[in-house]
Each structure stands twice: as structure tokens, then as C-alpha cells.
């Protein structure tokens, strides 16, 4: 059974099945609501339910407080309609940004390489091109019908392929059980996207700090490739700002694609690559990203920062940036959990 969802303040009406989240219905119908985890844990997709009954779904009590629920709020990524519903959400999209509707895609595994211990690069050749903003993610469908989120490491202009960096999790159904065991070049896969509110704002013409740990580097690679394309675009004005990328890993052999980044740094004078190895001596600097950043940037004002990593890394990096006088309006963050 489907119900009508009216999204205020736009007044847009769309159809949503009883087994479909209101967020999913909105994103597939071109109504963009802010969202991050899509699993009821982060609270980003909170909206007011003005009319109609919903099922609240699996909303974490930390992401949706009892008091908020009592006042009519719900998490759109897990809420499903039981009758016609009117919601009011934060539908405003920043100027200069186009958000693309979520769609289903099918494709074929073109590359599946181990690029570091327990990290694989999966490149899917899509049957139809996908539009997205650098930094966003897809949900990769597993053979058992479940799905997992992965940030896109390829750039939006490479529209007929998506590259994902996948970390193996012990006993993980998606990783140990599939991507690292059985999935092969030539296999058919399906996915949906694009998702997420972590995306590049190319219109903000300022120096960039790209701060990633582990496979949280992936969306930052998409941003870097986008900047390279802006520089190479013959009709454009090029790119004239510094870009400094940090990649934090525990062990040196986790620095995947190191030579590729190093080559870009050698070729393009605006780009600097700074590996950060925290748990062993290495050929380079030792330490976590927040510590090296604090050392390098006692003053960070004037930059725009994009952070993607595990919650502790993101939190500490935020703190280092704010201490260096870079404020939240210039910091975009993605809290990243390795998908099991
Ligand atoms: Fe994270 Fe809904 S709670 S997107």
C-alpha cells in the first residue's frame, strides 16, 4: 500500500510505500532532505511530522530523544508511513549545488584489487551513468538483499564507473563474506545512490584541507580528482588554491595509492600529500592526523576543510582545526564506520 507524503515548506507531494522509508521516497522523487547514516543513528534526517501516522522504525534513542519524538519529530531514514503524512523538513539546498535523485543502478565488476592489507579497490562499470557530487556515497546491494554504504572515490565526471575502497571486517557479511571472498571481476552487482550530505563545494574558492583516515580517504580522492579536472578544464579558470591532503593510517602498508598521490604532488604545485602513520616508525612522519595537522597549521583560518574518518579521528581533527581558528562553517565532516 502507498501513501501520499506532502513535504513542507515546498508543498511537494509524492508517493511512499508502507515498507519504504520517507527519506527514500523523497530522495528518489528529487526532494532532497539532509541525511548521513540512513540507518537511524546520526539524527541528520530529523524532520517534523505535522499530520498523519507513521511507524518510527529503528530510530536510535540517542539520535531521536524521547522529548523530540513527543514534540512530533521523527527520523525520516527509518520512518515509514501508515497513512497520508505531512512533514516539514530542512529542504533547502545550498546555492550553486545540484542534488541528484537517488536511483537504482546495475553494473559489472571491472576491477577488484587488494591495494593494502585488507583493503580492496572495487570498480563497477555502470550500465547507465550516475550523477553525483564528489564526496557522496552509494549503497552496494549484497547477494542476501541487504546493503552497505561506501563512499565513491571516482570523480563525478567519470560518470559510467564508480570506484569504492572497501576495508575488510572480520566476520563481516559484506566484506569477509563477499567482497573478500567470492566476488570476482565480471560479476554483476547492483547499487543505489547517490546519498549523503558530505559533498564538495567547488564554488567556495579557498585552499582545501582534505583530512582522511583509513578508507575514509575515498570521498576525498573524489574531491581531489574533481579539483584536477577543474584545473585541466581548458575553458575554465583553472584551480589556484593550495590543496593539502592528509592520509592517516595505523601501519605504513595501509598507505594505499601512495605513489599515485606522490606523482600528483610532483606534477601539480598546488597539491601536497602528507601521509600520517600512527603506530610504527616509518619513512616519513609519525603521528595521527590531528597531531600533524596542529603542528603544520597553528593557524588554519582561510581554508575549507573536509574530514572523513572514524568518529574519534573526526572529533579530534575538528578540535585541532577549531583551535587553529577554523570555524564550523568552513569544516565539512563525515563520520565513517567501516561497513561489516
Ligand atoms: Fe542518520 Fe537518518 S538518522 S540519516
Amino acid at each position: 500500500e502507498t501513501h501520499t507524503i506532502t513535504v513542507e515548506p515546498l508543498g511537494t507531494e509524492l508517493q511512499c510505500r508502507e515498507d519504504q522509508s520517507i527519506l527514500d521516497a523523497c530522495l528518489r522523487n528529487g526532494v532532497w532532505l539532509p541525511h548521513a547514516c540512513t540507518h537511524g543513528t546520526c539524527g541528520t534526517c530529523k524532520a517534523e511530522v505535522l499530520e498523519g501516522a507513521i511507524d518510527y522504525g529503528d530510530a536510535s534513542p540517542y539520535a531521536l530523544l524521547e522529548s523530540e519524538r513527543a514534540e512530533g519529530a521523527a527520523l525520516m531514514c527509518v520512518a515509514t508511513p501508515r497513512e497520508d503524512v505531512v512533514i516539514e523538513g530542512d529542504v533547502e539546498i545550498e546555492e550553486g549545488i545540484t542534488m541528484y535523485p537517488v536511483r537504482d543502478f546495475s553494473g559489472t565488476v571491472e576491477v577488484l584489487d587488494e591495494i593494502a592489507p585488507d583493503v580492496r579497490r572495487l570498480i563497477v562499470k555502470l550500465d547507465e551513468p550516475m550523477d553525483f557530487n564528489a564526496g557522496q556515497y552509494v549503497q552496494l546491494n549484497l547477494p542476501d538483499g541487504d546493503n552497505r554504504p561506501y563512499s565513491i572515490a571516482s570523480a563525478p565526471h567519470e560518470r559510467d564507473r564508480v570506484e569504492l575502497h572497501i576495508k575488510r571486517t572480520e566476520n563481516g557479511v559484506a566484506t569477509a563474506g563477499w567482497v573478500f571472498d567470492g566476488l570476482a571481476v565480471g560479476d554483476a552487482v547492483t547499487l543505489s545512490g547517490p546519498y549523503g550530505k558530505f559533498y564538495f563545494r567547488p564554488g567556495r574558492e579557498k585552499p582545501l584541507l582534505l583530512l582522511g583516515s583509513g578508507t575514509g580517504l575515498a570521498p576525498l580522492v573524489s574531491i581531489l580528482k574533481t579539483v584536477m579536472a577543474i584545473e585541466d578544464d581548458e575553458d575554465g579558470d583553472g584551480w589556484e588554491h593550495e590543496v593539502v591532503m592528509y592520509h592517516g593510517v595505523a601501519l605504513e602498508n595501509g598507505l594505499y595509492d601512495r605513489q599515485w598521490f606522490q606523482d600528483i604532488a610532483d606534477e601539480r604545485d598546488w597539491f601536497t600529500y602528507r601521509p600520517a602513520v600512527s603506530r610504527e616508525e616509518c619513512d616519513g612522519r609519525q603521528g595521527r592526523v590531528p597531531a600533524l595537522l596542529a603542528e603544520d597549521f597553528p593557524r588554519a583560518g582561510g581554508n575549507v576543510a573536509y574530514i572523513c574518518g572514524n568518529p574519534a579521528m573526526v572529533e579530534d581533527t575538528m578540535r585541532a582545526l577549531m583551535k587553529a581558528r577554523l570555524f564550523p562553517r568552513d569544516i565539512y565532516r563525515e563520520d565513517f564506520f567501516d561497513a561489516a
Side-chain angles (χ1 to χ4, degrees), residues 199-242:
Y199 51 83
F200 182 36
R201 279 79 169 171
R204 302 198 63 184
E205 297 231 2
K206 289 184 175 189
L208 303 182
L209 295 172
L210 306 179
L211 308 157
S213 72
T215 51
L217 195 68
L220 308 177
V221 176
S222 181
I223 293 174
L224 173 63
K225 289 174 177 167
T226 303
V227 172
M228 286 161 65
I230 293 172
E231 190 196 24
D232 295 343
D233 180 2
E234 286 172 15
D235 307 327
D237 300 331
W239 179 266
E240 288 166 0
H241 307 280
E242 295 264 323

Side-chain angles (χ1 to χ4, degrees), residues 220-329:
L220 308 177
V221 176
S222 181
I223 293 174
L224 173 63
K225 289 174 177 167
T226 303
V227 172
M228 286 161 65
I230 293 172
E231 190 196 24
D232 295 343
D233 180 2
E234 286 172 15
D235 307 327
D237 300 331
W239 179 266
E240 288 166 0
H241 307 280
E242 295 264 323
V243 177
V244 182
M245 174 186 262
Y246 287 79
H247 187 198
V249 293
L251 304 177
E252 191 170 15
N253 61 14
L255 292 173
Y256 61 80
D257 292 341
R258 184 179 196 172
Q259 191 56 49
W260 188 77
F261 294 118
Q262 201 49 64
D263 289 347
I264 297 171
D266 292 343
E267 278 162 24
R268 309 194 185 225
D269 52 12
W270 47 266
F271 179 63
T272 312
Y273 167 65
R274 298 204 171 140
V277 177
S278 62
R279 294 215 196 114
E280 65 181 4
E281 297 270 320
C282 67
D283 167 25
R285 292 160 81 202
Q286 197 190 343
R288 293 177 68 230
V289 170
L292 298 189
L293 180 68
E295 223 175 279
D296 299 347
F297 288 86
R299 288 281 172 272
N303 290 282
V304 172
Y306 293 85
I307 316 171
C308 183
N310 62 63
M313 177 273 183
V314 172
E315 212 41 60
D316 293 350
T317 306
M318 279 290 287
R319 210 166 293 143
L321 287 171
M322 293 183 46
K323 225 176 145 196
R325 320 289 296 164
L326 189 68
F327 296 105
R329 64 171 179 274

Side-chain angles (χ1 to χ4, degrees), residues 26 38 77 88 90 98 284 291 315:
C26 287
T38 68
C77 68
E88 179 165 352
D90 178 12
T98 307
E315 212 41 60

